[in-house]
Amino acid sequence: MAREIVIPYAPRDAFLPFHERDKRWSCLVAHRRAGKTVAKINDLIRGAMLCNLPRPRFAYIAPFRDQAKRVAWDYLKFYSRPLWSAGPNESELSCTLLGDRKVSLFGADNADSLRGIYLDGADLDEFGDFKPGVWGNVIRPALADRKGWASFGGTPKGRNEFWQIREIARQNPADWFLLELRASESGILDADELDAARKQLTPDQYAQEFECDFSAALAGAYYGREMVQAERE
């Protein structure tokens, strides 16, 4: 007899396109406090439960292992609890779900911990802060034999590797899903809070952290904001 299990997650409307995507590769550019980490953790849990391959393995990867534990470990335990087949492994930062499905947390600062494993899905959060080469040398090969998917996420910090991924996604819509959530458009944060932040931050800080502006951090850049507007149009 089938058993219905309900997890305590109700996705925000802004993240529904992300959860409903059908592309293997995806890029999520989101303003601060949009709820990106919660959405990503639940996306990994969903992916693990829907995977038809034996012993599915999924990973949330942050720039640093301590950062992954600090921002995502409590979320993973809370939202996956109804699906546990065993308690969480605190030393490995992993939760084993029904059917020997596992979701684990890793840090890109110790890429060797990812070598030799296979992955059915990987979420690379704050990708702009990753050590160069971790994606190409370690994570991408781990996805190869089982044709796993990858999702890149973060908030802009200039035209770094994350900007490059965003450009690849923007220019290749047939293969990539791209979602950019700006605070002025997402409806997640109250207008009063955005007004207060705008008054307390410099224009470039506000543009970067809340309006997903990749050019805001480029000191001395000419026509940066005009180029961003042209790209959007």
Side-chain angles (χ1 to χ4, degrees):
M1 182 177 179
R3 179 164 60 107
E4 181 178 293
I5 299 175
V6 178
I7 64 172
Y9 175 62
R12 289 173 169 170
D13 290 345
F15 287 100
L16 287 176
F18 173 66
H19 292 308
E20 296 170 353
R21 70 193 186 280
D22 59 1
K23 302 292 192 299
R24 183 180 180 187
W25 315 114
S26 64
C27 179
L28 174 57
V29 186
H31 64 80
R32 295 297 179 193
R33 308 314 306 159
K36 170 173 56 67
T37 303
V38 171
K40 286 174 168 288
I41 285 296
N42 279 280
D43 195 67
L44 288 167
I45 295 171
R46 180 175 182 267
M49 295 308 298
L50 294 178
C51 183
N52 294 321
L53 296 174
R55 304 179 71 242
R57 296 294 181 264
F58 287 77
Y60 171 91
I61 308 167
F64 301 94
R65 186 177 188 273
D66 180 68
Q67 180 183 6
K69 181 178 181 179
R70 187 172 63 253
V71 304
W73 183 227
D74 285 344
Y75 289 145
L76 176 57
K77 291 187 290 185
F78 176 74
Y79 288 107
S80 69
R81 180 183 294 272
L83 301 167
W84 288 351
S85 64
N89 189 315
E90 294 285 344
S91 61
E92 290 186 359
L93 298 183
S94 66
C95 288
T96 302
L97 313 182
L98 299 171
D100 196 16
R101 307 163 188 273
K102 185 178 288 187
V103 181
S104 305
L105 307 187
F106 294 94
D109 55 328
N110 183 16
D112 287 339
S113 66
L114 287 155
R115 292 187 185 275
I117 68 173
Y118 65 85
L119 290 172
D120 298 292
D123 194 295
L124 292 68
D125 203 8
E126 299 299 344
F127 183 65
D129 293 328
F130 272 43
K131 291 170 58 177
V134 173
W135 160 244
N137 294 336
V138 181
I139 301 172
R140 180 59 180 89
L143 300 166
D145 60 327
R146 291 163 69 103
K147 297 183 179 179
W149 54 260
S151 175
F152 300 79
T155 300
K157 282 189 177 180
R159 299 200 167 185
N160 52 23
E161 270 196 293
F162 184 44
W163 174 79
Q164 294 171 6
I165 287 291
R166 179 258 201 172
E167 286 299 285
I168 292 172
R170 187 174 66 86
Q171 296 169 15
N172 297 274
D175 298 318
W176 283 76
F177 169 83
L178 172 63
L179 178 62
E180 296 184 275
L181 296 179
R182 302 177 182 87
S184 60
E185 301 168 352
S186 71
I188 294 173
L189 298 179
D190 292 339
D192 290 346
E193 178 60 24
L194 293 178
D195 286 341
R198 190 181 292 106
K199 293 174 183 177
Q200 294 171 336
L201 303 177
T202 67
D204 279 351
Q205 287 174 334
Y206 185 85
Q208 175 178 291
E209 302 300 327
F210 291 98
E211 290 302 305
C212 300
D213 187 340
F214 281 94
S215 69
L218 299 177
Y222 291 101
Y223 304 116
R225 199 151 297 131
E226 288 83 354
M227 290 300 295
V228 170
Q229 184 63 33
E231 286 178 355
R232 292 179 187 175
E233 294 176 356

